[in-house]
Amino acid sequence: MTPAGSASAIRAEVTGISAPRRFLRAILPALSLALVLAGVAWMNPRAMSYFGINLMLNLGIPVALATMAQMFVITVNELDLSIGTFVSFVASVGATWLHDTPWLGTLVLLGAVGVYALLGAIIYLRNVPSIVVTLGMLFVWQGLAILVLPRPGGKAPAWVHDIMNFRTPYVPFPIVAAILIGVLVHLGLMRTSYGAILRGSGGNPLAIGRAGWSLLKTKVVMFGLAGVFGVFAGLALIGLTTSADANIGKGYTLLSIAGVILGGGEFVGGRVSPIGAVIGALTLTLAGTLLNFMRISPDWQVGAEGAILIVVLAARAVINRTGR
Amino acid sequence: MSETPPNIVYLNGVEKSFGAVRALAGVDFAVGIGECVGLVGHNGAGKSTLMHILAGTLTPETGEITVGTESPKNYAVHLAHRLGIRCVFQELSLCPNLTVAENARVLHSAIAGWGWRSKAARLIRAKLDEIFPGHGIGPDAVAGDLPIGKRQMIEVARAFTVTEEPLRLVILDEPTSSLDSHRASQLLAHVRRVVATGAGCVLISHLLGEVLEYSDRIVVMRDGKVVTTDRAASFDREKLVLAMGAAKVGRDELPLVRDSIASNGGTSDEREVVPTGRRGTTPVRVRARPANQTDGVELLAHEGEIVGLAGLSGHGQTALLLEIFRAAERSRFALLTRRNAGVKVTDPVALIAGDRQNDGIFPLWSISENIGVRSLAALRNRLLISYDREKSFAERWQGRIKIRTPDLGNNILSLSGGNQQKALFARALGSEAKILLMDDPMRGVDVATKLEVYELIRAEAAAGRTFLWYTTEMEELNNCDHVYVFRNGRIVADLHRGELSEERVIQSSFEEATQV
């Protein structure tokens, strides 16, 4: 109907990429993980043991869960800037109320998921940018986390600790957990019939609405799921650290966004990949270890992680361009 | 009209307005069982609005909708679906990130549970095989990766798939716009087969040959009303073109508009006398060939001319305007000048957007900031913007173009739509630009404002400015010295002011029947 629409339709005809390029793009995240892993093995062969991998990758599990949360939001063309402080809040509640009075802790965490779902509804109904809403929530969760846990401490509930320190035979637990997360979300989002609607509402909301589906519901479901996985991330984190701190999830917002993009997702258009995103999260976690092994000072590490991101995205852009 | 078959749908007295524009002014519309209704009309006739109402994506202000024997109160999309009404909209509505099979599932809530993917794949593949044999589309292909023709085939085939809900009426709004003639005839033959089983169909197309050949009955709309309806056999091309354009109301309005301009604008008398003769006497400002143009035809605009771009909306007019705009931008950077050989522009350009809310105004800024933004270089005091200059600049234009506001410091959104558009005109006219590109800027603007702006445009043209005016409103073409009619991204007619008539424009906008 709009002239812009017809122009983009013409352009879309040109941007279609061929099957081999698509395959190359799909394995790019796995390729970058393999590269980082090879780097680690080369720098320090002893790290590639059951115990070593456990140690290197276990902090990747909460990052992977937070990345899943972020991915749900990105699927419907939004962005969650508050996931990091939300993880802090969950960790603080987990190490205090959930430990001391489990029913209260459970109730608070369920309520927090409800707040997330409500944010989705507000963003849809009031048509406000999610960046603004979640930027506000960033400070709300941060404040609540400090209120709950003014100074570092608390204690993770025993069952959380036990799950995160489960010793799987042969294959280290973080790998099993990562596969489990990736496959479960993949099945839910990529293979179920409603998952297609959820992704479609990121690709062409108008078409989904015209087919009679509720766009309010898709937003609420996706933000609700983000809340659920945010809770999982916070609990997984204190399961590893055994205690919490109100700033524990600080880096998670950017890590989760980077993980989604590194894993082949795009900011708009409902194009995401759950398995890719898990791999992206693990790559970012391992990259830190690799840089440690390479004796790169922590001052430079953030920059080096950024460099990895740029290299992978540049590779993707090159693949897209040559595919035309 | 002696024996009417029982109706699938019946719309009675439907009215719908968008702001000041009355899109539908009391329309009665029916589709009978086993009937294919062709719906034709020029821009703004109300075809698409009517179909959106039928599909439940728009709610009419008054009027009732009867589907079969039911006349539901809260008619909306999902109810329309349940009652078996499908719609292929003019703009493609597939999800580009989903596969073909997943896109088929979007339309059917019944496809769910175990094995839904193969169910959806079978469904869409079978329908594609049935309508377009040898289509070469795999159900696992991602829709966005396919060329536009294949996407249209998928979308059309999808509309004909049946699961739990019945298929009673299919609305096809320009279904063949991206199909070649072979695929188009396959589709239309399928439409006839489906209609033979008792379903109904509404066919909207700018290819009059298609409509004449494949419809049982043709409904002609104009200005939000149904003007004629009769058996398809009783129409031919000439009669359809005549019916679309020559409604009495329109005829009477045309001279009215021109008269009021002639009497107000002092310079227009002279232009009335020498309409075509002035071509070529002044230097050429714009020379542009559309990307799709294969013959040598190009658009020319001389100094002091008002050049109209006509034709059905979305047929390449806006694209060409944007191309000219970009060419002007590029020529400011010498290195990149030779990027587009088809477009040459000699002077600075300003664009007046048609989609005011998205492309025109800065919603958080004041009126004077919105007017001054195109002329910031002139409003500077050394390095900074001078508020005094910006204010006096805006005030000067408020006086010339009569923007009705108590204070130019108010937010732009405090203005009515028509006055917002005036502010956009002030922004462009106030700039140093010698060439003004207008992308159907009068959409949804009231008549009084329009007349004021027409007058201003004529005065500015007389002062030597060049206007390229894409418009979907026939009356506005009467302000132009020269009109180019567009179809499928090409210039198909090149009319002097003396040759300009509504029939000529409609005749050129709708393709010859030989295409099918």
Side-chain angles (χ1 to χ4, degrees):
Chain A
M1 197 175 274
T2 60
S6 59
S8 68
I10 293 163
R11 213 168 307 123
E13 188 172 2
V14 186
T15 53
I17 60 172
S18 59
R21 309 275 168 199
R22 178 165 289 281
F23 174 73
L24 208 60
R25 252 186 71 170
I27 62 157
L28 199 59
L31 218 61
S32 42
L33 178 62
L35 222 63
V36 174
L37 214 54
V40 170
W42 186 60
M43 295 297 296
N44 196 343
R46 279 182 303 170
M48 301 312 286
S49 62
Y50 181 95
F51 187 70
I53 288 177
N54 215 340
L55 214 59
M56 284 190 299
L57 280 181
N58 62 10
L59 275 173
I61 296 311
V63 176
L65 287 164
T67 304
M68 289 294 109
Q70 186 69 257
M71 189 192 68
F72 289 127
V73 175
I74 288 180
T75 304
V76 285
N77 301 342
E78 307 289 355
L79 205 58
D80 183 5
L81 296 183
S82 66
I83 190 71
T85 57
F86 182 68
V87 168
S88 302
F89 169 74
V90 171
S92 303
V93 171
T96 52
W97 294 343
L98 194 64
H99 179 266
D100 304 333
T101 32
W103 66 267
L104 179 67
T106 311
L107 210 66
V108 168
L109 292 181
L110 283 177
V113 171
V115 169
Y116 250 87
L118 194 69
L119 292 181
I122 290 171
I123 286 166
Y124 176 74
L125 293 173
R126 303 300 306 158
N127 197 19
V128 280
S130 57
I131 290 184
V132 173
V133 175
T134 57
L135 187 65
M137 289 309 293
L138 182 155
F139 296 103
V140 172
W141 296 125
Q142 178 75 82
L144 290 176
I146 292 171
L147 280 180
V148 173
L149 192 68
R151 63 190 73 82
K155 196 164 171 25
W159 58 272
V160 173
H161 180 261
D162 291 346
I163 291 177
M164 289 311 290
N165 290 282
F166 186 73
R167 303 206 62 168
T168 45
Y170 308 117
V171 185
F173 174 72
I175 292 180
V176 175
I179 292 173
L180 212 65
I181 295 167
V183 168
L184 269 179
V185 177
H186 179 82
L187 289 179
L189 190 63
M190 312 301 280
R191 300 302 292 260
T192 64
S193 56
Y194 192 62
I197 303 301
L198 291 171
R199 283 179 291 127
S201 74
N204 188 346
L206 201 63
I208 296 293
R210 277 179 183 168
W213 300 95
S214 162
L215 291 172
L216 173 65
K217 192 176 155 196
T218 58
K219 275 268 193 312
V220 168
V221 166
M222 285 313 229
F223 273 83
L225 280 171
V228 170
F229 276 76
V231 167
F232 288 165
L235 294 182
L237 188 53
I238 55 167
L240 294 171
T241 58
T242 65
S243 69
D245 138 18
N247 287 315
I248 196 165
K250 218 170 183 180
Y252 274 42
T253 299
L254 290 180
L255 273 181
S256 65
I257 297 172
V260 174
I261 302 305
L262 202 57
E266 275 163 38
F267 278 116
V268 285
R271 292 175 203 265
V272 292
S273 158
I275 291 175
V278 169
I279 292 175
L282 295 185
T283 308
L284 287 172
T285 315
L286 263 184
T289 315
L290 175 64
L291 296 171
N292 269 334
F293 286 158
M294 290 167 76
R295 307 244 162 82
I296 290 175
S297 110
D299 296 342
W300 292 93
Q301 278 192 14
V302 180
E305 282 172 6
I308 292 175
L309 202 61
I310 290 170
V311 167
V312 175
L313 292 187
R316 198 156 94 195
V318 167
I319 292 173
N320 283 351
R321 182 163 297 187
T322 54
R324 285 190 184 173
Chain B
M1 285 268 123
S2 53
E3 41 169 319
T4 22
N7 288 329
I8 296 171
V9 289
Y10 178 55
L11 303 182
N12 186 10
V14 170
E15 289 180 30
K16 177 81 186 171
S17 302
F18 299 103
V21 180
R22 199 142 187 243
L24 293 177
V27 170
D28 297 341
F29 184 80
V31 182
I33 288 173
E35 187 184 37
C36 178
V37 177
L39 183 59
V40 295
H42 205 242
N43 291 318
K47 297 167 296 186
S48 288
T49 310
L50 187 66
M51 292 305 106
H52 274 286
I53 285 173
L54 202 48
T57 45
L58 284 176
T59 323
E61 277 123 33
T62 54
E64 64 176 26
I65 301 166
T66 311
V67 182
T69 50
E70 301 174 60
S71 11
K73 274 257 147 48
N74 305 315
Y75 190 75
V77 184
H78 55 275
L79 195 59
H81 270 261
R82 202 168 56 70
L83 293 171
I85 295 174
R86 310 291 177 74
C87 193
V88 177
F89 293 99
Q90 198 172 355
E91 68 274 37
L92 293 173
S93 48
L94 294 175
C95 295
N97 59 331
L98 300 187
T99 66
V100 175
E102 285 168 341
N103 267 299
R105 182 268 184 273
V106 165
L107 207 61
H108 297 283
S109 43
I111 301 179
W114 281 114
W116 70 272
R117 281 153 66 94
S118 51
K119 230 186 287 176
R122 272 199 307 278
L123 187 73
I124 189 74
R125 189 204 292 270
K127 194 53 77 177
L128 278 167
D129 286 344
E130 186 186 340
I131 305 177
F132 305 108
H135 51 79
I137 300 169
D140 289 329
V142 176
D145 290 353
L146 297 172
I148 188 164
K150 291 201 168 169
R151 276 184 283 148
Q152 187 157 39
M153 284 157 69
I154 296 163
E155 188 161 5
V156 169
R158 183 177 75 156
F160 284 101
T161 54
V162 180
T163 49
E164 274 179 352
E165 290 134 353
L167 175 73
R168 284 154 97 182
L169 175 70
V170 181
I171 300 163
L172 300 169
D173 192 349
E174 296 285 356
T176 60
S177 58
S178 303
L179 301 183
D180 59 44
S181 56
H182 172 59
R183 292 298 183 199
S185 57
Q186 283 181 331
L187 163 63
L188 294 164
H190 182 74
V191 167
R192 290 312 312 178
R193 287 201 295 278
V194 171
V195 166
T197 65
C201 176
V202 179
L203 177 64
I204 300 176
S205 177
H206 70 279
L207 301 165
L208 294 182
E210 284 182 1
V211 177
L212 284 165
E213 191 177 343
Y214 291 95
S215 319
D216 299 304
R217 189 162 59 87
I218 296 180
V219 174
V220 183
M221 288 186 74
R222 189 198 154 95
D223 297 332
K225 292 192 205 79
V226 171
V227 286
T228 317
T229 170
D230 206 345
R231 286 178 305 111
S234 69
F235 283 104
D236 58 19
R237 216 187 120 74
E238 304 306 311
K239 270 185 83 176
L240 273 184
V241 169
L242 217 62
M244 272 189 276
K248 276 216 169 62
V249 199
R251 278 280 154 196
D252 293 342
E253 274 170 3
L254 294 186
L256 198 93
V257 173
R258 198 186 283 174
D259 288 350
S260 72
I261 289 156
S263 58
N264 289 331
T267 52
S268 48
D269 287 341
E270 171 215 5
R271 308 180 136 261
E272 298 277 346
V273 183
V274 270
T276 54
R278 274 181 67 147
R279 267 247 128 175
T281 59
T282 51
V284 174
R285 282 260 176 83
V286 180
R287 183 185 290 275
R289 189 181 313 122
N292 286 3
Q293 199 84 28
T294 42
D295 49 4
V297 180
E298 51 181 13
L299 180 145
L300 282 181
H302 292 257
E303 184 180 315
E305 268 188 337
I306 304 176
V307 173
L309 282 67
L312 292 169
S313 60
H315 276 242
Q317 301 94 332
T318 302
L320 189 66
L321 286 184
L322 293 178
E323 202 53 61
I324 293 168
F325 185 79
R326 274 184 223 118
E329 281 292 299
R330 267 186 226 121
S331 65
R332 287 164 61 186
F333 308 98
L335 275 176
L336 302 168
T337 332
R338 297 195 181 280
R339 284 282 283 282
N340 189 332
V343 180
K344 280 205 183 66
V345 188
T346 59
D347 287 281
V349 159
L351 177 81
I352 302 163
D355 187 351
R356 195 162 53 233
Q357 299 307 329
N358 284 322
D359 304 336
I361 60 167
F362 294 92
L364 297 178
W365 292 5
S366 73
I367 301 164
S368 47
E369 283 168 324
N370 263 290
I371 293 175
V373 67
R374 177 68 178 75
S375 313
L376 289 179
L379 301 178
R380 252 180 0 211
N381 186 4
R382 294 210 185 85
L383 281 176
L384 303 176
I385 299 169
S386 153
Y387 287 112
D388 290 337
R389 284 193 202 171
E390 189 178 73
K391 195 166 165 232
S392 62
F393 178 77
E395 274 164 1
R396 199 162 63 243
W397 278 97
Q398 182 187 20
R400 276 204 69 185
I401 207 167
K402 302 185 195 76
I403 298 169
R404 288 178 190 87
T405 175
D407 184 358
L408 285 169
N410 285 347
N411 184 282
I412 183 89
L413 294 178
S414 66
L415 296 177
S416 70
N419 278 300
Q420 285 178 22
Q421 197 65 44
K422 280 186 186 174
L424 293 185
F425 269 100
R427 178 196 292 173
L429 294 173
S431 72
E432 87 292 359
K434 289 274 185 295
I435 302 160
L436 288 103
L437 310 175
M438 303 196 283
D439 182 14
D440 202 6
M442 301 304 210
R443 262 181 271 172
V445 172
D446 59 287
V447 180
T449 304
K450 279 181 181 172
L451 293 179
E452 283 171 14
V453 174
Y454 295 160
E455 189 186 325
L456 195 66
I457 289 171
R458 299 222 66 111
E460 288 288 327
R465 276 184 151 155
T466 303
F467 290 81
L468 266 70
W469 189 352
Y470 164 43
T471 172
T472 51
E473 289 177 35
M474 202 61 72
E475 307 94 85
E476 295 191 338
L477 292 177
N478 290 299
N479 294 305
C480 300
D481 301 307
H482 205 87
V483 172
Y484 293 93
V485 184
F486 282 67
R487 191 180 67 220
N488 293 337
R490 290 203 300 271
I491 296 172
V492 291
D494 177 349
L495 304 171
H496 295 291
R497 186 184 174 81
E499 309 172 296
L500 181 67
S501 73
E502 185 156 17
E503 278 98 312
R504 284 293 296 269
V505 173
I506 292 181
Q507 188 91 22
S508 312
S509 305
F510 289 86
E511 205 150 349
E512 298 294 334
T514 51
Q515 261 281 311
V516 182

